[in-house]
Amino acid sequence: MSQTGISMLRDKITGAKALMRALQAEGVKTIFGYPGGAIMPVYDALYDYTRGEKKCFDHILVRHEQGATHAAEGYARVSGEVGVALVTSGPGATNTLTGVADAMMDSTPMVVIAGQVAIGALGTDAFQEVDLVGVAQPISKWSYQIRHAEDIAWAVSRAFYIARSGRPGPVVLDFPRNAQVEEVEWEPKKVDFVRSYVASPKLKEEAVREAAALINNAKRPLALVGQGVELGNAQEELRAFLEKADIPAGRTMLGLSALPSDHPLNVGMLGMHGNYAVNLKEQECDVLIAIGMRFSDRVTGNLKTYAKQAKVIHLDIDRSEIDKNVKTDVAVVADCKESLPAITALLNKNSHQEWRESFKVLDEKEREKVIEPAIHPKQGPLLMGEVVNAVAEQAPKGTVLVTDVGQNQLFATRYFKYPAKRSICTSGGLGTMGYGMPAAIGATFATDRTVVCFMGDGGFQMNIQELGTIMEQQSPVKMILLNNNYLGNVRQWQDMFWMRRKSFTKMMNPCYEQIAKGYGIAYEAVTDRKDLAAAIDKMLATKGPYILECAIKEEDNVLPMTPPGMNVDEMMLEV
């Protein structure tokens, strides 16, 4: 390299500008953030990197720091890249913690960079000081304070490596003001190894052989497909594995788009409000193959009785998930993009037609008792299921589904269609109300596909301020507000398990039409099913954001349901 080239690498710049270069080196394109005093030097540096010839970032000004993290999550989930949130210290930093915890539970790669008071003021209860590293440590993959400008290149590279490698997750960088204004000789750093951190465990051939032998001898195998398949970009490897051995597969909520909805081996969604057949068949299979999933309590029901008849094979990149909830007979600890083909190579070409056919009787029972009444009601108010089904049928192929949390989430995930990978974005482990709207904003910056977001009236109002972000960015989010004037999921539980004592779940709602008008967002309300199809067509044809409010039956219940603490096969088809 010429001396001129070396001097360009070693020129002295502020820590704030060093952060810009470090983010640029990581391939960051989009930042979701909110400025404040302790992060102002960074925002001043960002000014030059978001306009003119030097532009390399899009900065999206959110209206609340929680919105920044959920938007970063939505961006990450749909793009497969690391989401980035940039905020100030104190309340700005603590406002991100719900999003950090959400990303940790759902294995979403995200880096949060927060301003902090100068290190000389730490511990003095300075204005907007908070121990962010201490607070974030239990809910992040790594939290670190960049105390000096000379550490920026290393810390940022390490943060992105940890966030995106192995089992992905959130990283929090605390950035004191002194490090932002100090000058440093810029020198790029690339971290691709961290001592004691094994991002991708070495695949053990013995485990592969044992897994293949169990599958080859199985009469009633069942695969449980989780988000790990999407995170590992192993969708094709999954299909080859399932098709060779003719294995029916259920999907977790976060893994719904890992296998196309119309694939013949897809037997539905797992879990408390999943599909009837696959939940019951978990208690009949002889070999259970869990792929990139964590045996959540919402999937297993009562662990004491869960799949006791089956040999369990667990494929996961995270060793800590093995035997955490369900005892494993064969553990294949590796990236599923590597482990699935290794097992597939040893499988016999097989047919389990009789076993697969046995699902269909239960499927028909669910269709008759639950699905048809939910999506094709003959009279009465609109139902959530029919709205979701109508949107799914009319939306372009490959549309991305974003949901909030509650009944809207459960109906949406059940009745939407997933022909393409990375097509679902929802808060699974933490169940964060208010997630939907900002996550949908992030999704629109990650893809050119249509993005639809289902929300209840409760979750819609939890981060309603992000309508301002949608207005400013003209984010083409198609928002479907399922308004039943209740905190619907809590109300359902109160009706079913608390003697119908509706304690503070009835909601007095604002006029959403006036709110939409105030933000300049196109709006329509539907109260009659005869108007639904035309309203959806109009929404999908409208350029930019749209709010479609649907007046839903107040006591609409999402079924089937495995009551909490009950066995997974004790699903209720009716109340």
Side-chain angles (χ1 to χ4, degrees):
M1 183 182 289
S2 67
Q3 289 298 315
T4 303
I6 293 172
S7 65
M8 285 180 67
L9 289 175
R10 298 291 182 87
D11 56 330
K12 276 202 164 188
I13 56 174
T14 66
K17 291 182 179 178
L19 176 64
M20 297 299 104
R21 293 192 185 182
L23 293 176
Q24 196 174 4
E26 294 300 327
V28 173
K29 298 289 190 298
T30 306
I31 299 169
F32 302 93
Y34 201 95
I39 198 69
M40 206 172 292
V42 169
Y43 267 89
D44 184 68
L46 184 62
Y47 185 91
D48 293 327
Y49 282 80
T50 54
R51 63 201 72 215
E53 294 181 2
K54 203 173 181 180
K55 179 179 178 179
C56 58
F57 306 129
D58 285 317
H59 177 274
I60 313 305
L61 177 65
V62 296
R63 299 307 190 260
H64 190 280
E65 292 88 355
Q66 183 184 350
T69 55
H70 294 327
E73 286 186 274
Y75 179 88
R77 292 273 281 274
V78 176
S79 70
E81 303 296 329
V82 178
V84 179
L86 181 65
V87 301
T88 193
S89 65
T94 57
N95 282 343
T96 69
L97 293 175
T98 296
V100 172
D102 191 279
M104 189 68 176
M105 288 285 280
D106 286 351
S107 303
T108 304
M110 177 171 69
V111 172
V112 174
I113 303 165
Q116 179 61 280
V117 301
I119 59 173
L122 289 173
T124 68
D125 288 337
F127 179 66
Q128 292 191 334
E129 177 194 357
V130 71
D131 179 9
L132 180 61
V133 172
V135 174
Q137 200 161 19
I139 55 172
S140 62
K141 276 190 80 175
W142 185 51
S143 60
Y144 180 76
Q145 188 173 79
I146 306 174
R147 296 173 69 88
H148 299 286
E150 63 192 30
D151 297 327
I152 291 168
W154 167 84
V156 171
S157 182
R158 194 177 198 264
F160 277 80
Y161 172 66
I162 290 173
R164 64 163 62 103
S165 62
R167 180 180 183 174
V171 170
V172 175
L173 292 177
D174 195 37
F175 198 12
R177 197 176 189 283
N178 64 286
Q180 299 174 43
V181 298
E182 286 172 1
E183 289 199 335
V184 63
E185 285 190 351
W186 169 251
E187 182 179 358
K189 297 284 175 67
K190 185 63 179 177
V191 175
D192 56 11
F193 170 79
V194 176
R195 190 174 62 183
S196 78
Y197 170 59
V198 181
S200 296
K202 185 177 180 181
L203 181 63
K204 293 184 177 179
E205 293 183 7
E206 182 182 357
V208 170
R209 288 194 299 270
E210 290 177 1
L214 276 179
I215 296 168
N216 283 333
N217 291 316
K219 303 298 182 186
R220 300 181 305 280
L222 178 62
L224 312 182
V225 177
Q227 189 193 194
V229 172
E230 296 260 61
L231 296 174
N233 295 310
Q235 296 90 347
E236 293 305 316
E237 289 80 0
L238 171 70
R239 290 176 67 163
F241 167 80
L242 297 174
E243 289 168 4
K244 186 173 184 181
D246 196 33
I247 301 171
R251 298 108 76 231
T252 67
M253 183 180 287
L254 296 186
L256 282 169
S257 60
L259 185 69
S261 299
D262 59 358
H263 193 283
L265 292 174
N266 164 36
V267 290
M269 185 170 77
L270 302 162
M272 177 180 279
H273 290 285
N275 292 109
Y276 190 58
V278 67
N279 278 280
L280 268 61
K281 291 297 181 178
E282 286 178 275
Q283 302 295 72
E284 295 180 24
C285 66
D286 58 358
V287 175
L288 192 68
I289 309 137
I291 308 169
M293 55 88 71
R294 59 188 178 86
F295 286 114
S296 159
D297 59 300
R298 289 297 174 99
V299 166
T300 64
N302 182 5
L303 278 170
K304 293 179 180 178
T305 61
Y306 179 72
K308 295 301 179 184
Q309 80 292 340
K311 294 290 185 181
V312 177
I313 302 168
H314 195 170
L315 283 64
D316 206 288
I317 200 169
D318 187 353
R319 191 179 301 275
S320 71
E321 289 297 339
I322 306 299
D323 295 331
K324 186 177 79 175
N325 294 327
V326 173
K327 178 66 177 173
T328 301
D329 293 283
V330 178
V332 185
V333 184
D335 190 326
C336 60
K337 196 170 183 67
E338 180 185 8
S339 60
L340 280 170
I343 295 171
T344 303
L346 300 181
L347 294 182
N348 300 327
K349 183 69 176 173
N350 213 332
S351 173
H352 296 289
Q353 184 175 352
E354 185 177 348
W355 166 238
R356 289 193 292 105
E357 289 291 326
S358 71
F359 284 72
K360 293 182 179 179
V361 175
L362 298 173
D363 285 337
E364 284 304 313
K365 187 175 182 180
E366 180 184 359
R367 175 158 287 279
E368 178 187 347
K369 287 185 171 292
V370 177
I371 297 175
E372 281 301 317
I375 66 175
H376 295 131
K378 293 181 171 56
Q379 57 186 5
L382 282 169
L383 301 181
M384 288 193 187
E386 71 172 311
V387 175
V388 173
N389 183 66
V391 174
E393 288 184 346
Q394 294 173 238
K397 187 175 181 179
T399 291
V400 174
L401 169 71
V402 183
T403 84
D404 207 80
V405 168
Q407 284 186 321
N408 68 90
Q409 174 188 42
L410 303 171
F411 276 109
T413 51
R414 276 182 57 83
Y415 295 118
F416 212 72
K417 306 295 187 294
Y418 311 94
K421 62 184 181 181
R422 293 190 177 274
S423 293
I424 181 168
C425 187
T426 190
S427 174
L430 199 65
T432 306
M433 287 181 68
Y435 171 94
M437 192 186 300
I441 294 170
T444 64
F445 284 93
T447 185
D448 292 329
R449 294 185 282 166
T450 299
V451 176
V452 299
C453 180
F454 288 90
M455 293 173 279
D457 41 315
F460 185 94
Q461 293 180 76
M462 277 203 172
N463 270 317
I464 196 170
Q465 75 284 338
E466 297 309 324
L467 289 173
T469 308
I470 291 173
M471 172 186 66
E472 182 173 343
Q473 300 296 331
Q474 283 300 293
S475 301
V477 181
K478 310 306 182 187
M479 294 167 275
I480 301 98
L481 172 57
L482 302 173
N483 187 356
N484 59 6
N485 298 301
Y486 268 104
L487 298 174
N489 212 38
V490 184
R491 190 275 310 154
Q492 179 173 334
W493 282 47
Q494 288 174 338
D495 280 352
M496 294 175 71
F497 311 121
W498 295 91
M499 300 176 65
R500 302 186 65 83
R501 288 160 58 89
K502 296 180 179 64
S503 180
F504 300 101
T505 45
K506 181 77 172 177
M507 296 195 66
M508 177 181 288
N509 285 317
C511 175
Y512 293 108
E513 181 177 13
Q514 291 187 38
I515 290 172
K517 185 177 181 181
Y519 284 101
I521 295 174
Y523 166 94
E524 185 170 353
V526 177
T527 58
D528 194 311
R529 63 176 47 88
K530 67 179 174 57
D531 302 320
L532 181 60
I536 293 171
D537 272 341
K538 183 179 177 183
M539 173 185 72
L540 294 172
T542 300
K543 186 178 179 180
Y546 201 99
I547 297 174
L548 178 62
E549 181 182 358
C550 298
I552 300 297
K553 178 182 177 181
E554 288 195 345
E555 297 192 352
D556 193 9
N557 290 325
V558 57
L559 293 166
M561 180 178 186
T562 302
M566 301 296 285
N567 302 333
V568 69
D569 56 347
E570 294 181 307
M571 291 198 86
M572 301 167 58
L573 290 174
E574 53 194 359
V575 179

